[in-house]
Amino acid sequence: MLNEKRREELNELLVDHRETLCAYWGEGVRSGLHKGYVIGAIGSTICFVTVYGIIKLVSRHKSRKES
């Protein structure tokens, strides 16, 4: 939590090092988004393969049952 002393420190840093802090924050956001997309893509692929496999197993089971 920010108290008054920390707010003053942050304001001083922003005055003196605004560009550096903004670049650092922007890099962190881009990195987080990239990792989020990668994890999301992997998770989606795993879910897709699992559901596809279940559908195939169920259809195979139904076709054997009908025969």
Side-chain angles (χ1 to χ4, degrees):
M1 191 159 127
L2 286 177
N3 58 23
E4 191 60 35
K5 182 180 177 186
R6 288 184 178 169
R7 282 190 186 117
E8 288 176 19
E9 267 184 58
L10 183 59
N11 285 332
E12 288 174 19
L13 285 171
L14 285 173
V15 168
D16 296 336
H17 305 286
R18 178 177 296 156
E19 290 177 14
T20 303
L21 290 171
C22 289
Y24 178 74
W25 181 79
E27 186 66 28
V29 169
R30 279 190 294 276
S31 175
L33 286 173
H34 176 69
K35 287 180 183 177
Y37 289 139
V38 170
I39 290 171
I42 291 170
S44 297
T45 302
I46 290 170
C47 288
F48 174 77
V49 169
T50 303
V51 169
Y52 182 76
I54 290 171
I55 290 171
K56 286 294 187 181
L57 286 173
V58 168
S59 66
R60 184 184 299 166
H61 180 70
K62 281 183 179 180
S63 67
R64 284 186 181 174
K65 199 173 189 180
E66 290 174 357
S67 298

